[in-house]
Amino acid sequence: MKTLIKNGTVVNSTGTAQADVLVDGETIAAVLAPGSQLLGFDVESNVDTVLDASGKYVIPGGIDAHTHMQMPFGGTEASDTFETGTRAAAHGGTTSIVDFVVQYAGEQVLDQFALWHDKARGNCAIDYGFHQILSDVQDSSLTAMDELVREGVSSFKLFMAYKGVFLSDDGQIVKAMQRASDNGSMIMMHAENGSVIDLLVQQSLAAGNTTPYYHGITRPWQAEAEATHRAIMLANLTGAPLYVVHVSAKQAVEQITIARDTGQNVFGETCPQYLYLSLEDQLGATSEEWGDFEGAKWVCSTPLRSKAEGHQHHMWQSLRTNDIQMVSTDHCPFCMKGQKDMGVGNFAKIPNGIGGVEHRMDLLYQGVVDKKISLERWVEVTSTTPARMFGMYGKKGVIQPGADGDLVIYDPNGHTSIGVGKTHHMNMDYSAYEGFEIDGHVDTVLSRGKVIVDDNQYLGTKGDGEYVHRGLSQYLI
Amino acid sequence: MKTLIKNGTVVNSTGTAQADVLVDGETIAAVLAPGSQLLGFDVESNVDTVLDASGKYVIPGGIDAHTHMQMPFGGTEASDTFETGTRAAAHGGTTSIVDFVVQYAGEQVLDQFALWHDKARGNCAIDYGFHQILSDVQDSSLTAMDELVREGVSSFKLFMAYKGVFLSDDGQIVKAMQRASDNGSMIMMHAENGSVIDLLVQQSLAAGNTTPYYHGITRPWQAEAEATHRAIMLANLTGAPLYVVHVSAKQAVEQITIARDTGQNVFGETCPQYLYLSLEDQLGATSEEWGDFEGAKWVCSTPLRSKAEGHQHHMWQSLRTNDIQMVSTDHCPFCMKGQKDMGVGNFAKIPNGIGGVEHRMDLLYQGVVDKKISLERWVEVTSTTPARMFGMYGKKGVIQPGADGDLVIYDPNGHTSIGVGKTHHMNMDYSAYEGFEIDGHVDTVLSRGKVIVDDNQYLGTKGDGEYVHRGLSQYLI
Amino acid sequence: MKTLIKNGTVVNSTGTAQADVLVDGETIAAVLAPGSQLLGFDVESNVDTVLDASGKYVIPGGIDAHTHMQMPFGGTEASDTFETGTRAAAHGGTTSIVDFVVQYAGEQVLDQFALWHDKARGNCAIDYGFHQILSDVQDSSLTAMDELVREGVSSFKLFMAYKGVFLSDDGQIVKAMQRASDNGSMIMMHAENGSVIDLLVQQSLAAGNTTPYYHGITRPWQAEAEATHRAIMLANLTGAPLYVVHVSAKQAVEQITIARDTGQNVFGETCPQYLYLSLEDQLGATSEEWGDFEGAKWVCSTPLRSKAEGHQHHMWQSLRTNDIQMVSTDHCPFCMKGQKDMGVGNFAKIPNGIGGVEHRMDLLYQGVVDKKISLERWVEVTSTTPARMFGMYGKKGVIQPGADGDLVIYDPNGHTSIGVGKTHHMNMDYSAYEGFEIDGHVDTVLSRGKVIVDDNQYLGTKGDGEYVHRGLSQYLI
Amino acid sequence: MKTLIKNGTVVNSTGTAQADVLVDGETIAAVLAPGSQLLGFDVESNVDTVLDASGKYVIPGGIDAHTHMQMPFGGTEASDTFETGTRAAAHGGTTSIVDFVVQYAGEQVLDQFALWHDKARGNCAIDYGFHQILSDVQDSSLTAMDELVREGVSSFKLFMAYKGVFLSDDGQIVKAMQRASDNGSMIMMHAENGSVIDLLVQQSLAAGNTTPYYHGITRPWQAEAEATHRAIMLANLTGAPLYVVHVSAKQAVEQITIARDTGQNVFGETCPQYLYLSLEDQLGATSEEWGDFEGAKWVCSTPLRSKAEGHQHHMWQSLRTNDIQMVSTDHCPFCMKGQKDMGVGNFAKIPNGIGGVEHRMDLLYQGVVDKKISLERWVEVTSTTPARMFGMYGKKGVIQPGADGDLVIYDPNGHTSIGVGKTHHMNMDYSAYEGFEIDGHVDTVLSRGKVIVDDNQYLGTKGDGEYVHRGLSQYLI
Ligand SMILES: [Zn+2]
Ligand SMILES: [Zn+2]
Ligand SMILES: [Zn+2]
Ligand SMILES: [Zn+2]
Ligand SMILES: [Zn+2]
Ligand SMILES: [Zn+2]
Ligand SMILES: [Zn+2]
Ligand SMILES: [Zn+2]
């Protein structure tokens, strides 16, 4: 299968080019000056398919480096399977995800890794890699880290929150960081002070403050800023690179900024929800259907932050200044009915998570339209940096010969209306971004050379997606 | 003329690719998967020239955005003409320069611009653009700024030092910045407090401290940090983007870092001399030939800084953290005999400047070898960012279809010995980097598709280089 | 004359004591446990006067270290003479001022010093010292600095604004700082970038923006933050202590904070107007009488700042954190009629200045009531630190044996209404604080042991006040 | 008993006075102008004792706010009893201590408080107060906090290190802070990350690194900076004032500085050992007697820091800039024989602590001689601020009527040689400051009006010292 995408504007993280892209089989074969001639050879007439991208952007497929498909959590499971979640991702112009293998305390890391392979294998619409979650850091976990690096898993996530579930104590974190420092892998951190949060939650419930709004109130910015600094100090001590997931507080960004200014390998990820949504507007929302439980739709951790405090504004700025390096979704969807509603009367029982894997590329593109980030920065934070950060660059995150044919034709003159019954392929009974309007549109999506989405139609097959064997980070300084 | 560079490792600012590069005429026609076949078409047999880059890097030609060819200064003139200087640049893998049109107080900007065109036209080995220096900021200068933007000059340099020669007062600076803010151009700043320096120089001479060493002592870091902050505040007031040239003091970097962390469009350039050389080792040097006047070889402004204070170390770090964005040479060569020696007995009469246009790519590559910066960062700070910063990207600074065929084949297994009588094509009777050994080598240099240097031989012709009509900066956030 | 102040709460900068204060002649003889017995000796019956301070505070007399009595400026003269101004000060609990001897370019410093002595001698109600203003820094000025230190003038004020009037260029500033560094004196700085301001003023007037509001607009915070950093760098270079007068922008405070955190001797003074008044409310005010010229009442430099930007809030905080060390008034009164009104139609012609010498102690005490500063801090910023900063401590600024009997009995249960026709002894036809209500009252004021104000009555005589021969700063670290 | 100290230079935290001090009974009755006459009354002839302080300083008695007399720790007990320790303190010019009541997990706070009263009562040479240590924070502990405030204990110490011994988890810390925020008390924090340290210690021992030097290596600055920031964030969350004990790392100071610059009530204490001693010189020392176990003499936590990293230099600077507010000793002595030697072959078994209660006033005075701090600052950091910080001011920390007659006559022309067999009254078989020479001398010490030390002789009686019922902090902003 040979495909030529012609007449488009190819966008990469430093700028644009008017160029045609030739995909031969699964791989990009050439990037060519526009026009169907190469030294007299008529390229166009020698391919199977020609996609006309006139007036459109041709970008490397989106990479969502933070998803939780069918993740078991709080007695239920994230509502998107690898099948439904990756298909939704494809619709939104994302052609790779990196999902999290879960290891709870007492479980064996490699067993879990095998289990997650089983869940994903043969089910995905797009390529997928894995990060490994470590909760207790057993001696066998440290050995497993080396093994996993060989298996293409070069990043390990630890939690400073969720005591008794995921939380590692600081000594355990240091042990994992020491190993990462040795084997070159990346430590990812959920940076919130769980001990403080657990107390505040108890006190809030005891005081009768039980609605979703209090989910936000009981996870104050101090708990995030504190844990972020702590993680940075532990990383500094051990020499491990540190990637802080889902940063939402401006004070946490400030800690990352300070560390980065000294040359430490510290990185920050944010998510569309922290750019667009807030404590006041979402967690504090009410509706006819759900009353003051409406906010449950946006219960995730770290929580949505107060717009009065200006976090969202600062997060966009940090994205511009590269104090935040990339944007993932932390896609972890739960339906209101039967899942989120477990927390009626007790916000602490609401499964934590927001689904967004489908909308990241669009939501960030709207930032381009609104002049919050540049076109190049859009590609950088959604594809190029994720690829580099997590050892996929060359195959992913860039349009160049030898790279996988993961490509999106994006129409800046198109339009996308987000919402249930409009664009909504995720397995959720609501949309966290209901009513958002995007001044752009994902027209065509290729995964390793195959058109899997075109004109809003899914043309792929379950199992198209393959496992991505990742290398070490290519983003370290 | 069709040229294929095959089997090389193409390096860009985000990573590498194994790819062939096809240049058709002056322009890159395609970047292709290695091997001579494209959909069955044999590329190699359809080109005029094949360059084998096996085991070598293929990079976009270097861009030196800060040179002063045959610049009149202090009663003499920089010793490299546009002819000799650009030829030396070509030898060193630099395929574009941006030189400074000088306007002294009372002169008309557009007249000077025309004059500089006359100097350069037909003489250059490589492409050249212009920045415009403004000294007094006359009303006609402001009008000229708009005109020059249309003429492809989108950056204007002002001086906070050299009273009576170049210095603009703060009100004049603000006027120029206001215009830049309006027309989208960039303000470049020589940021040193001239009033303070003039006093210290007088006092030093009066005290009998007349050797080159005191050139450094009388331009203390406070004078640079001060002016840098001042420039940042004026830029903040007016909204103009600010590019601080030849940053050498770590405290000046700190000011830039703080401003950048707030999202202000402030950029810093450093030069190889500030990365490698020091007050103690160079300005304080003695030799049999020159005695304690030896240091005159390295008299430039901003001056070389004390290594005891750690500036050099910090400058490399800032280059890694992107607090400094790019590296130019501030190439402004003077011979010791007949030029620098005007300052024997009075350092203030030593013409200010160091020649380095030939060695920047090598010196920075040595930073890759020494693990001070990454391979990608090398390309970024020497080519990609200069192109973006000064509105040349797309044509320059990147290897992609439609870009100029400005390419360098760089051999990481080669070796380069810097020094007079070794590699030294600049018109200087000494080398500022005498004795430096580089673990790499510029093998072949193409300028707009033509091989102009190969195997240390200059194959080009005077006048190959053309004027680069630049656009507005493509690096603003 | 022997006076006992009994039963009061003596307040100093670290706390309070229940104590009696005995003044013998001009000097404090003892601080005693309350009650009239000392080892059986009945103190009370051996004094001439007993003042009962039950339920009241006894504090060291206020020191206003920044006043401009009958200062020639802009073709007129500040409306308070040494006589009227110091009498007003006395009413407000201030028992010492430090006024500025003016030297304009071309004038001789020592001549001016003699002239100012003539103006003040025999006219003052309270003690007075002098700072010396330097504009051009002639060689004779440097010599005069040493002479003046011997004469009790240990602080020299320079201006970075008012070109052609006061402004010293940076080289001149460095010269004065070098001398101060040698002789141990203090450099005071009016830190605003005059060159920028002059341009903005011209542009504003040319654009038809001529009302007092534009006085504020044309002196933006950047001009103050810039000059403050510049002054700090020059002081750093020379080793001179630096005291920045009338700090009003939070960004300027930030520069001071950064410098102080490194251990540099940098100090900041603010004034009541920057704590209480704003660009919006005062400079932008209108009235029936004056229309949009009403704001002229508050035209001073640095200007009142925008409350939307939060400067006032930050200034109080800085006073608490000791990033700002003390509060003076910059008392420089002009009447609206015949003085301020010279600027109708052109804000640049409005004489710059606000009168406030009478109200500083009250206005700051209100900060205690409003819990913005502590009681001890009130005494510290209005008396103890001014005394230490400017070499008067021991005689002034403290209640201890040997100190001058400069004492204020302040009633926390009293009340003061500020305004013309209420409390208003300054020679101004309006009050800058009209309508302010203070929850406290200056009951009795002693100057060197003599009661000069009691129950709102002035009991002193012209010429009571004597010249204070100051020593070097006692506040340096 | 009436005592007159005549002709001395009284030093307080803002300056000096030539004054006589009259003590009547236990209390200061008056501070008088020098000379024996008050309004004709001859004071000198009406007192029992006259102490001539000509040429000497008269200062408020030292307050050591951090001691551990006979503290049970690690299977042994600090070697100074309340009797021996306070007597040694008296010799060194310290007239008050605040010691720590220990509560281990499971114990009842009020029981422990009673127990400590029993230990101290009737045994002390000088006045003593208590801080209360909380380890687990039981509900009864929270109630006890309120009770203790009423009992004169207004400060509560928590530990982030010593797991299983003292460590409180972050939720427990927040609970205590919430209570402190309510009742106005102060939270004191041992800020080191115990979890990390425990791991590093295990790893060090496992690697065979068992000497005292590794005590320092396994408690890296990151562990202190981390915990300090964490404590600050938790305090910020709850509004509690925070006092960080024994700060030794410059990076920890930096956290305190940042917090203070925002106006948060955060305070830092350092100790003489962190000003004078280092990892390299002391922990790494060897001796004939002890070999490489010599360093055990200086095993304390936080540990001595590397002088190559410049902590000591920075600590003196922070003392000048008031980023560190006061100096205590953390007096916790253990003998080498029979106590410290439990850790031969395993540094983790060395009882943690250094004895220094006797030498603090002298060691800090040497800082005055060496021009590291001013004379006033000496008094402030050793007496006035401790009194204010911990609610004793008025009675302690100041020379004013009504204050306790706790006074020291200090001779700047005297000399003190520190060392066993020289000045050494602490119950330790070595001196941590052996060989230090001090250019000053504690001549006479009065405790509540009684001379307890004179001319190196102890003149007091066991039990002279009384319990100090403290109030809330008088140092909050
Ligand atoms: Zn997640
Ligand atoms: Zn320059
Ligand atoms: Zn930064
Ligand atoms: Zn230059
Ligand atoms: Zn500070
Ligand atoms: Zn003034
Ligand atoms: Zn401790
Ligand atoms: Zn302790």
Side-chain angles (χ1 to χ4, degrees), chain D residues 250-326:
Chain D
K250 63 183 178 182
Q251 295 88 349
V253 178
E254 199 181 343
Q255 295 300 336
I256 292 169
T257 301
I258 292 170
R260 288 176 58 75
D261 283 350
T262 69
Q264 193 177 336
N265 272 309
V266 176
F267 311 102
E269 161 201 281
T270 194
C271 309
Q273 52 268 40
Y274 307 120
L275 293 163
Y276 281 108
L277 311 179
S278 72
L279 171 72
E280 294 92 338
D281 288 342
Q282 275 73 32
L283 282 175
T286 57
S287 69
E288 215 166 306
E289 183 177 8
W290 292 102
D292 61 9
F293 191 68
E294 174 73 7
K297 292 176 176 173
W298 299 279
V299 163
C300 61
S301 298
T302 60
L304 302 186
R305 298 280 170 207
S306 164
K307 68 180 177 183
E309 293 174 3
H311 300 280
Q312 293 78 5
H313 172 83
H314 198 272
M315 207 58 69
W316 278 113
Q317 179 187 291
S318 303
L319 210 51
R320 278 195 297 281
T321 59
N322 203 34
D323 289 308
I324 290 291
Q325 285 68 44
M326 49 182 274

Side-chain angles (χ1 to χ4, degrees), chain A residues 2 12-17 22 29-33 38-39 41 257 260-263 317 321 323 388 393 400-401 477, chain B residues 2 12-17 22 29-33 38-39 41 257 260-263 317 320-321 323 388 393 400-401:
Chain A
K2 302 171 200 320
N12 63 42
S13 67
T14 50
T16 63
L22 175 67
V31 184
L32 309 142
L38 181 76
L39 306 178
F41 173 70
T257 300
R260 288 176 58 77
D261 283 351
T262 70
Q317 178 188 293
T321 59
D323 290 307
R388 298 175 73 192
Y393 183 88
Q400 69 184 20
I477 63 171
Chain B
K2 301 171 202 321
N12 63 42
S13 68
T14 49
T16 64
L22 175 68
V31 185
L32 308 141
L38 181 75
L39 305 179
F41 172 70
T257 301
R260 288 176 57 76
D261 284 350
T262 69
Q317 178 188 294
R320 278 196 296 280
T321 59
D323 289 308
R388 298 175 74 191
Y393 184 88
Q400 68 183 21

Side-chain angles (χ1 to χ4, degrees), chain B residues 292-305:
Chain B
D292 61 9
F293 191 69
E294 174 74 8
K297 292 176 176 174
W298 299 281
V299 164
C300 61
S301 298
T302 61
L304 302 186
R305 298 279 171 208

Side-chain angles (χ1 to χ4, degrees), chain D residues 66 68 100 157-159 161-162 166 189-192 219 245-246 269 274 301-302 330:
Chain D
H66 189 157
H68 301 280
F100 286 87
K157 184 176 175 189
L158 295 153
F159 288 79
Y162 302 115
F166 284 127
M189 190 63 72
H190 180 126
E192 284 190 301
R219 305 184 89 93
V245 297
H246 51 55
E269 161 201 281
Y274 307 120
S301 298
T302 60
D330 196 5

Side-chain angles (χ1 to χ4, degrees), chain C residues 14 17 29 31 33 261 388 393 400, chain D residues 14 17 29 31 33 261 388 393 400:
Chain C
T14 50
V31 184
D261 283 350
R388 299 175 72 193
Y393 183 88
Q400 67 183 22
Chain D
T14 51
V31 185
D261 283 350
R388 299 175 73 192
Y393 183 88
Q400 69 183 21

